[in-house]
Amino acid sequence: MTKKALITGITGQDGSYLAELLLSKGYEVIGLHRRSSTVTFDRISHLTDRLTLIAADLLDEASMIRVLRDHRPDEVYNLAAQSFVQTSFAQPTLTGEVTALGVTRLLDAILLVDPSIRFYQASSSEMFGKVLEVPQSEQTPFYPRSPYGVAKVYGHWITVNYRESYGMHASSGILFNHESPRRGLEFVTRKVSFSAAAIKLGLQDKVSLGNLDAQRDWGYAGDYVQAMWLMLQQDEPGDYVVATGETHPVRELCQIAFERVGLNWEDHVVIDQQFFRPAEVDLLIGDATKARQKLGWKPEVGFEELIRMMVDADLAALQKG
């Protein structure tokens, strides 16, 4: 029998890669997207004829219940969120409504319609924030440093609560930073890869960045969605850190990206105070031992390969016009 999966946030980076993965495994895929005046299906345009797309919203529990009743999925992957940390400082209440309470609405809808549905929650390394140990594992205490991080902690713990209270197969992936050519332009990796390509082509001269010393554990989104799927195939639900176990500063990201197009990053990067966070997260590095041992998961694409892939994709897109 064909398995059915529901993906919230299907129009985002992770949603598009997960949809590709599930379709390749023979799933029927239903994607939720928010109704808006401008249609943003760019990341899934090559898949739309193979997907069922439905307008619904994590702010509206009735719409969640209706979709679950109509389509009866076997698995639900909750990837929808207000997912940009900088925006969460400007819009903390909206971030809480979507990224925190949205998880509760969806879990509650599953409980009402069919508690046997397997649920995946997209947790985040931003929950660790001001890290209390290095590297961070599933046992590391949370200390979020942004409204986004705080909202993700709520989403994480409400998933644990529904699992333990109602016996639901509800798992969380604590994913560290994961990037790709489909990453939004507001995120630093894509901002740098796009700017390197644009500067190379003479379309701009400088790029403004914040803290070059901030270090992140950066992996490839295409690898990370494999871990999401593997979590829902386990007999028992659980929480898993998904990370490369390597850390790189923003400075190194700039160096690799600009070297790819034969330029010196120091000639083009400008430090701008507006891109510094009110509360910075300095060192995130994940310990994915549990995911390796229980899921058999490991990252395939390395950091340098990832950044070059992103620069090449931006260069190709800009040249095509």
Side-chain angles (χ1 to χ4, degrees):
M1 201 170 85
T2 303
K3 268 189 171 181
K4 272 191 197 178
L6 176 73
I7 304 173
T8 74
I10 195 167
T11 60
Q13 168 188 256
D14 292 9
S16 68
Y17 282 109
L18 180 61
E20 282 178 349
L21 175 69
L22 295 177
L23 287 169
S24 76
K25 293 182 179 297
Y27 277 68
E28 182 183 331
V29 178
I30 301 113
L32 293 196
H33 64 93
R34 272 174 307 165
R35 172 77 183 86
S36 67
S37 54
T38 52
V39 181
T40 51
F41 290 161
D42 298 356
R43 295 182 181 99
I44 56 168
S45 57
H46 61 300
L47 302 173
T48 47
D49 60 336
R50 301 167 63 198
L51 302 170
T52 302
L53 294 172
I54 298 164
D57 203 305
L58 289 182
L59 299 178
D60 180 1
E61 188 170 335
S63 69
M64 301 286 114
I65 293 168
R66 197 157 43 244
V67 171
L68 291 168
R69 280 188 178 149
D70 288 349
H71 294 276
R72 300 284 172 170
D74 302 287
E75 299 170 2
V76 170
Y77 295 85
N78 182 37
L79 309 185
Q82 188 303 98
S83 61
F84 189 44
V85 173
Q86 200 77 27
T87 299
S88 78
F89 284 102
Q91 300 182 341
T93 308
L94 174 69
T95 301
E97 281 288 350
V98 178
T99 307
L101 290 177
V103 187
T104 315
R105 294 186 191 101
L106 185 49
L107 282 165
D108 210 43
I110 291 170
L111 188 63
L112 284 167
V113 174
D114 181 1
S116 72
I117 292 170
R118 296 191 171 200
F119 177 78
Y120 171 83
Q121 166 61 11
S123 288
S124 167
S125 59
E126 288 287 334
M127 301 189 305
F128 296 122
K130 188 175 181 179
V131 298
L132 300 178
E133 64 181 14
V134 178
Q136 295 89 50
S137 72
E138 294 81 7
Q139 278 71 51
T140 303
F142 300 137
Y143 194 146
R145 297 272 279 170
S146 66
Y148 170 76
V150 172
K152 279 292 186 185
V153 169
Y154 178 98
H156 180 85
W157 280 118
I158 201 71
T159 301
V160 172
N161 185 260
Y162 270 67
R163 178 169 76 217
E164 294 180 350
S165 299
Y166 306 112
M168 292 170 68
H169 195 298
S171 296
S172 284
I174 306 172
L175 271 57
F176 280 64
N177 294 63
H178 46 291
E179 319 296 317
S180 76
R182 299 178 196 171
R183 191 59 144 151
L185 282 167
E186 69 272 26
F187 292 89
V188 68
T189 46
R190 182 75 197 291
K191 184 177 181 180
V192 169
S193 70
F194 181 88
S195 297
I199 290 167
K200 177 65 176 176
L201 297 174
L203 301 173
Q204 67 185 66
D205 184 48
K206 302 286 182 190
V207 56
S208 298
L209 299 175
N211 182 8
L212 297 185
D213 296 318
Q215 299 191 53
R216 295 290 182 272
D217 183 328
W218 276 302
Y220 173 49
D223 288 340
Y224 284 33
V225 298
Q226 295 266 359
M228 299 177 187
W229 176 75
L230 285 166
M231 286 177 216
L232 296 201
Q233 311 318 306
Q234 305 305 301
D235 292 336
E236 297 297 326
D239 306 321
Y240 295 86
V241 163
V242 180
T244 68
E246 294 178 8
T247 188
H248 302 271
V250 175
R251 194 181 306 277
E252 185 185 351
L253 157 66
C254 295
Q255 183 186 343
I256 293 167
F258 279 86
E259 271 179 5
R260 186 64 171 172
V261 293
L263 298 172
N264 179 3
W265 70 273
E266 290 171 301
D267 296 336
H268 302 282
V269 172
V270 177
I271 305 301
D272 187 332
Q273 289 301 315
Q274 72 166 309
F275 296 114
F276 280 75
R277 296 179 183 183
E280 182 56 270
V281 174
D282 291 317
L283 178 59
L284 290 172
I285 177 167
D287 176 1
T289 302
K290 181 181 176 184
R292 213 165 41 242
Q293 291 176 347
K294 290 204 167 185
L295 305 178
W297 177 87
K298 66 177 194 300
E300 302 293 339
V301 177
F303 179 67
E304 288 195 23
E305 184 186 349
L306 170 63
I307 302 308
R308 289 179 189 137
M309 175 203 302
M310 292 175 68
V311 173
D312 290 352
D314 280 323
L315 207 50
L318 286 169
Q319 284 170 328
K320 205 160 72 175

